[in-house]
């Protein structure tokens, strides 16, 4: 069942009928006011947007009947408007300026404003990376008479047009938005939802909908995602039988937040485990729930030499053509929110059996591969195929192929694709251990069973698939886990330049929004995502750009270390990767003092992680002692001053990089937790803070917390707000401590071996109630002052959950 939304014309008629009805009632009850000359407000006493819309509708009908498309183009040209658009676009563009007056330029980029449904949107370019995203319901109008060509003056509507030529006589266009997403919808609720049924009943009615006990006649049935696992209630079964959509609770919250009834299919519970997916674009799906389509989707291209899976040529021994040092395989992307573009393109020249040459081309929306256009053409002449490949590259990017492939020289052109530089090798989503291999690999390993299981987790495809899915960087068409160092460096420099620009920028209002939108479009072109958005503040920049960049960088390291494990597991691939890791990992026995100390430290400094309204506790599964060759040894670090044992939070997908190369400083300086001290290694004395980064998802409760010994140096600076100058801290390598709203009780602190302080104590309120930090953070600027010592494998557990199962009364 589809949600019906009234068309613009239907909405106009409805508003017109209501307004005329109210107007008639009002006219009958009150004496009519005499008309006066002047603008609409003077003439009517009060402007009536419905009457203006009705008058505009009549005007449009008259001009459509008596003006030709050619005459309308002449009107546009005479008034400095682009007339080289389609006939369908000419008519509304011309009628708008004839009735309401000529539009002024976009106040942000100077581009052309165009009316579209909910307002006026700019059609100009903000930069080579982005279209302008400025929109308004009250556009600037030029206070000057329209230029009317002679051919129009002889038409039956010339007097009507002349009436609106004078700026003083023009009416103002009133545009109203729909803010009640559930108007005309009957919604049924069932089962144990995270909020009470009465809560949702109130919300639904407030947003224009109605709640029904029965599914008969309902627009949809809202349930918990767990209904799928439980097999579903009788209500769910009845809804499925009747073809009524059964959707997740998140559909209600997201529709209310976005003020529109979102696609029901995107939140479907009953069929979202189909292997082939539902065919819904990923940017339209519910981001709070596991997108099984991408987690289980086969990676189409695994690296620079990977033949696209859809060609089927890998079964014929197909290989990417390499000639004169050039590899003919390109992944291109573009994210332009002003044009609603978030597209990818794959181009490959493939040599198959008997020297048969194929040109493969695939283009579509990122996350919507089922609707992508693709073609596979066989070529007899090698040079002709190469010329066609180069021609396609130039059409798509505006650049020549050879300078890009040889020297990485390229210039971004507006509304053109940009190449994603893919490296040789195998991305971990393809090369890591598959589900069927995991148990066999661990069983045949010569490693300690606990260590083998630990390596099994870090070498599996799963944690990397989920990490990329959760961040929205999980397109099966673009192997972001196998980018070149050159491309990663470009991304890092782009981020740093934008942060510097923000700090010196004095832009406000629309200009500031445009600055953020420009970076967002550039970022998501370089780092293609299934869920593009526009960053709006430093918090979003930290969570979805800086942190995402670090995670993707670390996944790239994992891809190179893991390589291709898709073959036999009998030759002990886990031991082989363990040796390549260059790190010693050994289980800590429960009876030891170290184990007891760590458990105590965790219990005293942990607070439940909140996900929505549900809290999650934690239990220790295993503890591992580690010796990372890239980190200073305990013998080295114990000679340094001010040593503290601290918690560090990280995704499981980042761990292999940490264990092989140690911690890297943060990517940039931002006034946000984890980044407010600049390019530093940041830890905390609260396990609760580390758990916020190590937490995964409800259906994947296992994670890791890291314990590291950090030397804070001779001098430690304390801050209760973000420091203004982080560069001096970075240069001097001064230890820094951010004072949070909560601290550990100092009376419970103790000293561990080799004079290492353990700030283990109950979390209590501090005197810094206005701090941006929830817990204390410690910043170290020299990686050789931090030594990873323990990995704590934990399991997050749902706490104190009460579900409402009472059906609402209607």
């Amino acid at each position: 069942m589809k949600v019906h939304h009234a068309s613009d014309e239907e909405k106009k008629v409805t508003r017109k009928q209501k307004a005329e009805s109210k107007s008639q009632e009002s006219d009958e009850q009150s004496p009519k006011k005499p008309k006066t000359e002047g603008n609409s407000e003077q003439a009517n006493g009060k402007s009536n947007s419905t009457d203006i819309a009705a008058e505009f509708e009549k005007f449009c009908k008259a001009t459509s009947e008596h003006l030709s498309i050619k005459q309308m183009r002449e009107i546009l040209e005479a008034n400095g408007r682009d007339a080289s658009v389609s006939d369908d676009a000419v008519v509304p563009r011309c009628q708008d300026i004839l009735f309401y007056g000529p539009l002024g330029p976009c106040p942000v980029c100077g581009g052309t404003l165009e009316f579209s449904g909910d307002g006026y949107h700019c059609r100009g370019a903000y930069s080579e990376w982005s279209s302008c995203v400025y929109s308004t319901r009250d556009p600037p109008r030029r206070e000057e008479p329209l230029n009317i060509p002679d051919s129009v003056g002889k038409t039956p509507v010339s007097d009507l047009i002349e009436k609106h030529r004078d700026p003083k006589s023009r009416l103002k266009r009133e545009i109203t938005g729909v803010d009640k997403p559930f108007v005309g919808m009957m919604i049924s609720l069932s089962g144990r939802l995270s909020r009470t049924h009465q809560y949702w009943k109130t919300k639904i009615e407030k947003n224009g909908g109605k709640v029904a006990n029965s599914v008969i006649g309902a627009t949809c049935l809202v349930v918990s995602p767990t209904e799928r696992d439980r097999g579903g209630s009788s209500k769910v079964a009845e809804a499925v039988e009747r073809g009524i959509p059964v959707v997740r609770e998140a559909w209600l919250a997201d529709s209310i937040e976005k003020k529109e009834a979102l696609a029901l299919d995107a939140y479907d519970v009953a069929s979202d485990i189909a292997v082939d997916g539902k065919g819904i674009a990923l940017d339209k799906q519910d981001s709070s729930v596991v997108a099984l389509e991408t987690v289980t989707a086969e990676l189409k291209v695994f690296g620079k030499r990977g033949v696209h899976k859809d060609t089927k040529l890998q079964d014929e021994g197909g290989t990417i053509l390499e000639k004169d040092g050039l590899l003919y395989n390109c992944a291109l992307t573009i994210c332009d929110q002003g044009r609603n573009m978030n597209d990818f393109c794959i181009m490959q020249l493939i040599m198959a059996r008997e020297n048969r040459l194929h040109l493969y081309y695939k283009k579509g929306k990122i996350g919507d591969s089922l609707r992508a256009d693709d073609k596979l053409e066989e070529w007899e002449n090698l040079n002709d195929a190469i010329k066609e490949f180069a021609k396609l590259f130039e059409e798509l990017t505006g650049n020549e192929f050879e300078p890009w492939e040889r020297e990485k020289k390229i210039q971004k052109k507006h509304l053109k694709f940009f190449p994603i530089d893919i490296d040789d090798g195998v991305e971990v989503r393809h090369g890591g251990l598959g589900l069927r291999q995991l148990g066999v690999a661990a069983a045949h390993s010569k490693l300690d069973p606990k260590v083998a299981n630990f390596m099994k987790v870090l070498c599996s495809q799963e944690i990397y698939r989920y990490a990329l899915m959760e961040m929205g960087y999980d397109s099966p068409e673009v192997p972001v886990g196998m980018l070149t160092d050159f491309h990663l460096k470009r991304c890092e420099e782009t981020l740093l330049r934008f942060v510097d620009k923000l700090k010196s920028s004095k832009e406000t209002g629309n200009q500031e929004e445009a600055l953020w939108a420009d970076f967002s479009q550039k970022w998501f072109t370089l780092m293609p995502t299934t869920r593009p958005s526009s960053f709006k503040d430093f918090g979003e920049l930290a969570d979805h750009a800086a942190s995402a960049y670090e995670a993707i960088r670390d996944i790239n390291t994992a891809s190179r270390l893991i390589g291709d494990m898709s073959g036999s597991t009998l030759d002990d691939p886990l031991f082989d990767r363990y040796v390549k890791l260059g790190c010693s990992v050994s289980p800590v026995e429960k009876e030891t003092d170290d184990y007891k100390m760590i458990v105590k430290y965790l219990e005293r400094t942990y607070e439940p992680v909140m996900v929505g309204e549900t809290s999650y506790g934690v239990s220790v599964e295993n503890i591992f002692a580690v010796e990372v060759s890239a980190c200073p040894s305990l013998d080295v670090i114990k000679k340094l001053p001010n040593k503290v044992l601290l918690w560090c939070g990280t995704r499981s997908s980042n761990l292999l990089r940490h264990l092989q190369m140690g911690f890297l400083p943060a990517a940039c300086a931002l006034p946000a937790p984890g980044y407010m001290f600049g390019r530093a290694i940041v830890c905390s004395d609260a396990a609760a803070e580390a758990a916020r980064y190590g937490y995964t998802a409800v259906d994947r409760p296992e994670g890791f917390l890291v314990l590291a010994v950090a030397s804070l140096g001779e001098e430690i600076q304390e801050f209760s707000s973000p420091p203004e100058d982080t560069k001096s801290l970075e240069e001097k390598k001064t230890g820094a401590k951010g004072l949070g709203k909560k601290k550990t009780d100092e009376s419970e602190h103790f000293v561990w071996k080799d004079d290492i302080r353990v700030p283990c104590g109950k979390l209590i309120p501090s005197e810094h109630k206005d701090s941006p930090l929830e817990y204390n953070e410690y910043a170290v600027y020299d990686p050789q002052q931090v030594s990873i010592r323990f990995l704590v494998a934990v399991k997050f557990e749902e706490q104190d959950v009460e579900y409402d199962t009472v059906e609402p009364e209607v």
Side-chain angles (χ1 to χ4, degrees), residues 96-135:
D96 180 86
I97 68 169
L98 284 174
F99 190 85
Y100 295 110
L103 286 162
C106 168
V108 172
C109 74
T112 302
L113 295 175
E114 192 80 35
F115 180 73
S116 176
D118 60 345
Y120 289 82
H121 303 268
C122 180
R123 305 301 291 171
Y126 184 83
S127 76
E128 68 273 25
W129 290 93
S130 68
S131 293
C132 184
V133 294
Y134 173 78
S135 64

Side-chain angles (χ1 to χ4, degrees), residues 574-585:
L574 292 179
F575 180 77
D576 177 67
R577 272 60 177 186
Y578 177 81
V579 172
K580 287 172 65 177
L581 190 58
C583 171
S584 168
V585 180

Side-chain angles (χ1 to χ4, degrees), residues 447-678:
L447 293 169
D448 177 282
K450 289 183 179 179
V451 177
N453 281 319
F454 169 71
M455 288 299 298
K456 179 186 74 174
V457 172
L458 297 194
C459 290
S460 71
Q461 296 177 7
E462 186 183 33
I463 61 170
Y464 304 100
R465 285 181 176 273
Y466 274 112
L468 291 172
M469 181 276 294
E470 287 161 358
M471 295 185 293
Y473 292 95
D474 54 342
S475 169
E477 304 287 349
V478 185
V480 294
M482 205 62 225
L483 301 173
T484 63
D485 291 338
F486 171 82
H487 192 84
L488 289 168
K489 187 67 176 176
R490 187 197 294 273
C491 294
E492 183 183 27
E493 289 172 350
T494 298
L495 176 61
L496 291 173
R497 279 196 297 268
F498 178 64
V499 172
D500 288 341
K501 191 172 184 177
L502 278 178
K503 291 177 179 177
S504 60
S505 173
K506 294 181 173 58
E507 303 288 8
T508 58
N510 292 324
Q511 295 288 350
E512 183 183 23
E513 289 178 14
L515 193 67
W516 282 91
D518 179 58
F519 168 77
S520 303
Q521 294 172 76
K522 182 175 183 178
W523 181 259
F524 290 129
T525 294
L526 294 172
M527 284 284 196
T529 177
T530 55
R531 307 183 194 279
S533 61
S534 188
F535 299 118
K536 294 181 177 64
D537 55 44
F538 287 110
E540 291 184 359
L541 198 63
D543 292 340
H544 304 300
S547 177
Y549 161 75
E550 292 166 352
I552 290 171
R553 176 200 64 198
D554 293 353
I555 289 173
N556 272 262
T557 300
S559 292
R560 290 170 175 82
L561 188 141
I562 291 172
D564 189 358
M565 299 178 73
S566 59
S568 171
T569 57
L570 297 179
D571 54 354
D572 204 351
L574 292 179
F575 180 77
D576 177 67
R577 272 60 177 186
Y578 177 81
V579 172
K580 287 172 65 177
L581 190 58
C583 171
S584 168
V585 180
S586 57
V588 178
E589 299 301 327
K590 293 184 178 181
E591 297 77 19
T592 63
D593 292 338
D594 285 351
Y595 191 100
K596 294 173 184 176
M597 178 273 291
I598 292 168
V599 170
K600 178 183 177 182
Y601 193 6
L602 175 65
E603 290 174 346
R604 298 299 285 168
T605 63
Y606 183 81
E607 288 183 330
V609 173
M610 294 299 297
V611 180
E613 295 187 348
T614 305
S615 61
Y616 290 85
V618 70
S619 62
V620 176
E621 298 286 290
N622 277 303
I623 298 177
F624 298 96
V626 296
E627 284 283 350
V628 180
S629 57
C631 293
S633 67
L634 196 58
D635 289 335
V636 170
I637 206 163
K638 70 182 181 182
K639 300 174 184 177
L640 301 177
N642 279 322
K643 301 175 292 294
V644 190
L645 186 66
L646 297 170
W647 295 102
C648 307
T650 186
R651 290 178 178 271
S652 300
S653 58
N654 298 9
L655 267 180
L656 274 183
R657 197 224 165 275
H658 298 331
L659 294 177
Q660 187 180 40
M661 302 181 182
F663 285 135
L664 273 182
C668 60
L670 295 169
Y675 295 92
M676 63 181 274
F677 296 107

